[in-house]
Amino acid sequence: AKGHRYGVVGSNGSGKSTLMGRIASKDIAGFPEGLTLVHLSNEKILQGVDRSLTARDYVCSRGAALEEGSRTEALAAVGFSGELLEKPVRELSGGWQ
């Protein structure tokens, strides 16, 4: 409806970014014309990032002023498990990137 804003909510890896990309490219049959859509893709957000870095190394490279233990603790507090910390950024779903 005019003047309303909508969001997409779902667990990580459930396809939210894929859905938004398809909506942004108007790749869904029957999608209403005339809607204004703003979509900031993961590719734009990660422009210039070395995606071969692990999540842990990426955080370190950003100059976070925390000691390693505190950095790992902060990442764990937002859901990063040990396994996710060791994955290259390119292998993480959009939400984790």
Side-chain angles (χ1 to χ4, degrees):
K2 188 173 179 134
H4 290 109
R5 294 179 185 184
Y6 300 91
V8 178
V9 179
S11 60
N12 285 326
S14 64
K16 298 178 302 292
S17 297
T18 300
L19 174 63
M20 291 304 297
R22 290 199 55 209
I23 290 171
S25 66
K26 301 188 184 207
D27 186 30
I28 296 180
F31 198 78
E33 295 293 323
L35 292 180
T36 300
L37 174 74
V38 177
H39 177 245
L40 184 57
S41 69
N42 293 344
E43 289 76 27
K44 292 290 184 192
I45 294 169
L46 292 173
Q47 202 165 24
V49 171
D50 179 356
R51 295 180 195 197
S52 67
L53 291 174
T54 65
R56 179 190 314 273
D57 291 341
Y58 172 73
V59 171
C60 291
S61 76
R62 300 300 294 173
L66 295 172
E67 295 297 321
E68 175 61 29
S70 297
R71 203 177 294 129
T72 300
E73 191 175 301
L75 287 164
V78 294
F80 273 88
S81 66
E83 181 183 329
L84 280 176
L85 286 172
E86 301 310 321
K87 277 190 171 186
V89 171
R90 70 174 164 264
E91 291 180 18
L92 299 173
S93 71
W96 288 115
Q97 288 179 358

